[in-house]
Amino acid sequence: MTKKIKVANLPDFDMVEHLKTDEDVANYLTVVLEDNDPALLAAALGDIARARGMAEIAKASGIGREALYKALRPNAQPRFDTIARVCAALGVKLVAQARPGTL
């Protein structure tokens, strides 16, 4: 007989634990960008910043640590300037690609 597991007993999932390489980060951002959801992008950048060290990313981006946490929380709507500064601090760039059949 299979033992049943209660959902409440499952461990919490934290994406940060799975962002170990630059390729992991690039793949994660690619999937997130396909959803066209700015709040999801902000949360994903927050995950990546936490994986790399929020204090270091705050310093490199010139954004205060507390302001960075606030800007990159789930459902945040950060300005493009904030996204660009965080991406630069993380060493990633966002790239536009034409979708087949849309032009």
Side-chain angles (χ1 to χ4, degrees):
M1 184 187 306
T2 305
K3 182 179 178 183
K4 292 186 178 184
I5 299 173
K6 293 183 180 181
V7 173
N9 293 336
L10 292 173
D12 290 334
F13 178 81
D14 189 357
M15 189 62 188
V16 172
E17 297 171 13
H18 304 279
L19 297 172
K20 300 191 184 315
T21 67
D22 290 342
E23 186 177 356
D24 295 338
V25 168
N27 289 334
Y28 182 40
L29 281 178
T30 298
V31 170
V32 166
L33 286 168
E34 288 174 357
D35 281 347
N36 292 321
D37 182 345
L40 185 58
L41 175 59
L45 289 172
D47 290 341
I48 298 165
R50 286 189 303 122
R52 300 255 173 110
M54 190 65 82
E56 291 179 33
I57 301 306
K59 183 178 180 181
S61 67
I63 301 170
R65 190 175 57 83
E66 289 181 20
L68 192 58
Y69 271 110
K70 186 176 179 180
L72 300 179
R73 71 183 186 275
N75 298 316
Q77 298 287 328
R79 295 184 348 219
F80 181 77
D81 176 61
T82 301
I83 297 293
R85 290 167 65 182
V86 170
C87 285
L90 291 171
V92 299
K93 65 179 181 175
L94 305 180
V95 178
Q97 246 180 337
R99 286 187 275 172
T102 59
L103 296 176

